[in-house]
Amino acid sequence: MKIFIDTAKLEEIEEAYSLGILDGVTTNPSLIKKIVDELKEKGEKVDMESYITDILKAAKGTPVSLEVIGTSYEDMVKEGKKLFERFNPVADNVVIKIPVNPSTEDGSENVFDGIKAVKELSDAGIPVNCTLIFTPEQALMAAKAGAKFVSPFAGRVDDFIRANNKIEFEKTDYFPVEGIEKDGKVLDDNGVVSGIDLVSQCVEVLGNYGFETEVIAASIRNPRQAREAALAGAGIATLPFDVIKGLLAHSKTAEGMKKFVGDVIEEYNVLFK
Ligand code: G3P
């Protein structure tokens, strides 16, 4: 499974890439806001053009998703082309992120605009990451439109199921892949019982028809969900920095290390001098 980092924080991107095993970066307007707010709080001014340029260079030739802000087909295509033309020459690694459906209310008139934008940009040779995927059928539509990536939002599915059923939780709480039961019934969102179930259904649907579109398990909140994305066959998981760190953590590893460090004898130590 490829691992992308889900952040707009340059320091995190640089540190994660120092591992030598990172495969891409995903950003969105909320992640950009978060880092800009942080920098402003520290009294720093942000020049967005050069900040994005630094992110693209830090990603060392791997794909970086940059999201549009428009909600109409025309605006999204215009913005996608503008972002691609402006930034792709920096490191040849820009992917344009387009919401599958930019409508802010169910059933509104711009329900087709996301898919039309995905199709037009993809036909123009611009790689698209189709985002805000909450059903396998949205992923199918995006793949048919030529999206290079689709991003099912696992953690937010879990949020939705828990909130709908008045279950209290922390954002980073583990949510089992097989879902959770209440009053003897597995809770679901229209047949999707967990975020990872959504990822798994997207992988299965696209796999059934041999689409080249890659599934990015997104909105991943903890290392166990990342593991389950791998078990579900997601080609990619995009992970916040802390989740990447968490992939390496176990209390018994730390305990074992403490013992090894404590047991180093001088006769062995001398080999390293
Ligand atoms: O990759 C999508 C992601 O940034 C959303 O994550 O945790 O806000 O649902 P989250």
Side-chain angles (χ1 to χ4, degrees):
M1 182 173 70
K2 290 180 195 162
I3 297 179
F4 287 11
I5 183 165
D6 193 29
T7 186
K9 194 167 181 173
L10 188 57
E11 275 170 30
E12 291 183 343
I13 294 168
E14 286 172 343
E15 194 176 342
Y17 270 79
S18 74
L19 293 172
I21 57 163
L22 260 278
D23 302 295
V25 179
T26 50
T27 69
N28 62 39
S30 307
L31 293 170
I32 302 261
K33 176 179 183 322
K34 191 170 168 209
I35 180 61
V36 170
D37 285 351
E38 263 179 53
L39 292 171
K40 277 187 190 159
E41 229 167 81
K42 288 194 221 155
E44 292 177 37
K45 245 183 118 190
V46 188
D47 171 351
M48 200 35 74
E49 292 242 336
S50 68
Y51 194 83
I52 301 274
T53 299
D54 288 346
I55 290 180
L56 295 172
K57 287 182 182 161
K60 301 181 192 301
T62 63
V64 176
S65 292
L66 302 175
E67 190 157 341
V68 296
I69 55 174
T71 56
S72 70
Y73 154 72
E74 292 80 7
D75 286 351
M76 288 188 286
V77 167
K78 201 162 57 182
E79 292 164 5
K81 286 184 173 168
K82 190 169 181 184
L83 278 176
F84 192 77
E85 277 156 23
R86 166 65 190 85
F87 290 110
N88 198 52
V90 173
D92 196 19
N93 57 349
V94 170
V95 172
I96 300 299
K97 222 171 176 188
I98 302 281
V100 66
N101 171 359
S103 158
T104 50
E105 281 168 46
D106 285 346
S108 101
E109 58 191 22
N110 55 346
V111 68
F112 289 145
D113 285 31
I115 288 300
K116 282 163 62 181
V118 172
K119 175 88 175 119
E120 178 155 343
L121 293 171
S122 302
D123 284 353
I126 296 177
V128 172
N129 174 357
C130 189
T131 192
L132 283 171
I133 298 283
F134 285 89
T135 70
E137 51 272 27
Q138 287 177 325
L140 176 63
M141 296 291 274
K144 283 180 69 69
K148 181 163 175 58
F149 304 103
V150 286
S151 292
F153 271 33
R156 292 196 195 179
V157 170
D158 300 342
D159 293 347
F160 188 58
I161 291 174
R162 288 182 290 206
N164 279 347
N165 291 282
K166 304 197 173 15
I167 296 168
E168 291 200 4
F169 60 94
E170 295 292 328
K171 190 175 171 186
T172 53
D173 281 351
Y174 171 65
F175 189 102
V177 59
E178 66 278 11
I180 46 179
E181 279 193 27
K182 199 175 175 191
D183 305 325
K185 180 181 159 287
V186 178
L187 306 176
D188 75 335
D189 171 36
N190 195 21
V192 170
V193 300
S194 67
I196 296 295
D197 181 36
L198 170 65
V199 170
S200 167
Q201 291 192 35
C202 290
V203 169
E204 188 176 343
V205 167
L206 300 195
N208 282 346
Y209 301 100
F211 284 106
E212 283 176 15
T213 307
E214 291 183 81
V215 174
I216 305 181
S219 178
I220 297 290
R221 308 284 179 67
N222 56 60
R224 189 160 166 183
Q225 273 181 331
R227 175 208 309 170
E228 285 172 355
L231 288 169
I236 303 159
T238 189
L239 310 176
F241 185 72
D242 283 347
V243 175
I244 295 176
K245 271 191 178 166
L247 296 182
L248 294 164
H250 194 283
S251 60
K252 290 296 283 181
T253 305
E255 185 189 302
M257 266 315 292
K258 201 168 173 187
K259 178 92 176 95
F260 288 157
V261 168
D263 283 346
V264 175
I265 52 169
E266 189 45 32
E267 291 85 335
Y268 189 54
N269 196 18
V270 89
L271 297 176
F272 304 96
K273 289 191 171 151

